[in-house]
Amino acid sequence: MFATLAAAALLLAQPLAPTPATAPDLDAIAETTLEASGAPGVAVMRVVDGEVAIGVAGLRALGSEASIDAGDLWHMGSNSKAMTATLIARLVEQDVVGWDDTIGQHLAAVIPDMDPAYRDLTFRHLLSHRAGITPNVGMIAMIQFNVQGANGDPMPPQRIDYATRVLTQSPAATPETEFLYSNAGYVVAAAMIEQATGDSWETLITREVFEPLGMDSAGFGPPGSADVVDQPRGHRGGLFGRRAMEPGPMADNPPVMGPGATVHVSLQDLARFLEAHLAGARGDETGYLTAESWQTLHTPPFGGDYAMGWGFNGTQLLHAGSNTMWFVQMVIEPPTGRAYVVAFNDGRINALQGPTRDAIIAMAR
């Protein structure tokens, strides 16, 4: 259940159109992508200058007759990281925290046995995977956190527990010098802002990201109901083939990992998030973050090709996310003013990468 993969102005008072009907050309791309991937279902989205087009194909769950809908919710996996980085940028602009605040500054009092190598590392290190923190806690700890999440235990104490488990270990890579993709680093960053504010990450990201951007569908964990297939379901492989995972503790990473792994949202609302970043990357006035904050989010702080929750390849900002049961790739292109998303309710990453690439190329054409 480990989360995987490194991998014109925004007018907030003028929201995007309601959930669009599917676009015929994108429906055709979705059908081709479905056939090439063998996934249960797929959705593709193209955003051009605020105009959103979505195409869908396939089923919400194998063994059901429920078809994918343009308004369905998709599990973002590690794409949650870009949202958490955006949250921290908002808090920096409010002088609640600073980019150069250290782990020791916010967590030393509650984790006195922290390895000294981490004490002077900052949000910049954590959000760019340059803190040297191990990618995840062990499997036994994951099971324990899943149980706590299922019990509804409060999140901030769980995140301190999680942070303690990784920060009392020696670094797994040389801090700042080496890149090591780490879900745990985003949990540590969330623990820091929870200590600074007294609010949970869930409360903060809802208040500072979802609500201002109109992402009304955003939530946490696998979407939908366990007793009816009202949303797409992630699929997991096994001895008897792939099966749909009904929403519940076994269908996702534990909630403690939310800052890097567990957001779900509709594609239409994801478009709002992507439009904000696209506008910011193009230097447009957004009314949401300053130009300086956008530049910080989109620029690798220690070189390389990973910024703050975004990979950067010179022309595109991109990220992918999977909890091994879903796969979603998102791409924004500041030079063209476009964004693309390909989403599967399937976690066979190796099998999906080629169809994903081909779908993005087809949408660009």
Side-chain angles (χ1 to χ4, degrees), residues 41-362:
V42 62
V44 298
M45 179 172 71
R46 180 180 59 218
V47 183
V48 183
D49 294 330
E51 294 186 7
V52 179
I54 293 174
V56 299
L59 300 173
R60 288 174 171 170
L62 290 174
S64 80
E65 297 181 356
S67 298
I68 298 292
D69 184 79
D72 279 350
L73 306 178
W74 296 88
H75 191 283
M76 292 290 106
S78 286
N79 294 317
S80 306
K81 292 179 173 66
M83 300 175 190
T84 293
T86 304
L87 160 62
I88 292 173
R90 290 275 289 184
L91 297 179
V92 169
E93 290 199 355
Q94 297 166 21
D95 293 324
V96 175
V97 295
W99 288 117
D100 295 312
D101 285 6
T102 66
I103 298 174
Q105 179 181 342
H106 288 288
L107 298 182
V110 291
I111 309 178
D113 296 332
M114 181 189 306
D115 188 297
Y118 298 118
R119 287 180 178 268
D120 294 332
L121 301 180
T122 69
F123 284 115
R124 299 181 195 271
H125 295 93
L126 291 165
L127 300 182
S128 64
H129 303 292
R130 294 283 183 147
I133 295 175
T134 186
N136 297 288
V137 294
M139 182 59 74
I140 293 176
M142 291 284 280
I143 294 171
Q144 293 171 342
F145 284 121
N146 245 329
V147 171
Q148 293 181 60
N151 290 340
D153 293 355
M155 285 295 112
Q158 291 188 53
R159 294 200 173 103
I160 293 299
D161 184 1
Y162 191 110
T164 299
R165 293 171 188 257
V166 297
L167 293 178
T168 51
Q169 301 178 29
S170 298
T174 305
E176 190 168 318
T177 302
E178 294 183 89
F179 175 92
L180 179 61
Y181 190 85
S182 176
N183 295 303
Y186 272 71
V187 179
V188 171
M192 291 167 65
I193 60 174
E194 287 177 339
Q195 290 297 299
T197 64
D199 290 325
S200 70
W201 168 82
E202 288 80 1
T203 295
L204 292 167
I205 201 164
T206 300
R207 187 182 75 208
E208 299 295 337
V209 179
F210 300 157
E211 290 179 353
L213 295 180
M215 300 169 66
D216 297 338
S217 66
F220 312 106
S225 306
D227 56 349
V228 60
V229 184
D230 55 350
Q231 292 293 339
R233 292 183 174 181
H235 287 74
R236 168 174 286 166
L239 292 176
F240 303 102
R242 281 175 295 160
R243 65 187 180 97
M245 301 294 294
E246 67 181 39
M250 299 308 296
D252 200 6
N253 299 288
V256 69
M257 293 180 63
T262 72
V263 172
H264 68 247
V265 68
S266 71
L267 293 192
Q268 177 73 359
D269 283 352
L270 180 62
R272 300 172 187 270
F273 179 77
L274 298 180
E275 274 282 305
H277 275 267
L278 185 59
R282 288 164 64 88
D284 297 334
E285 175 60 46
T286 66
Y288 178 68
L289 287 173
T290 64
E292 180 181 3
S293 290
W294 290 121
Q295 184 174 21
T296 297
L297 287 172
H298 297 154
T299 305
F302 304 106
D305 57 7
Y306 197 95
M308 306 282 194
W310 291 98
F312 180 62
N313 65 9
T315 58
Q316 298 171 322
L317 291 160
L318 64 167
H319 213 285
S322 173
N323 68 349
T324 73
M325 290 164 268
W326 304 72
F327 180 79
V328 178
Q329 175 76 58
M330 58 185 193
V331 179
I332 62 175
E333 288 184 344
T336 65
R338 293 186 172 202
Y340 306 101
V341 175
V342 183
F344 299 93
N345 55 344
D346 190 350
R348 297 172 302 120
I349 296 169
N350 290 338
L352 302 177
Q353 288 180 330
T356 296
R357 180 190 62 247
D358 293 344
I360 292 172
I361 291 172

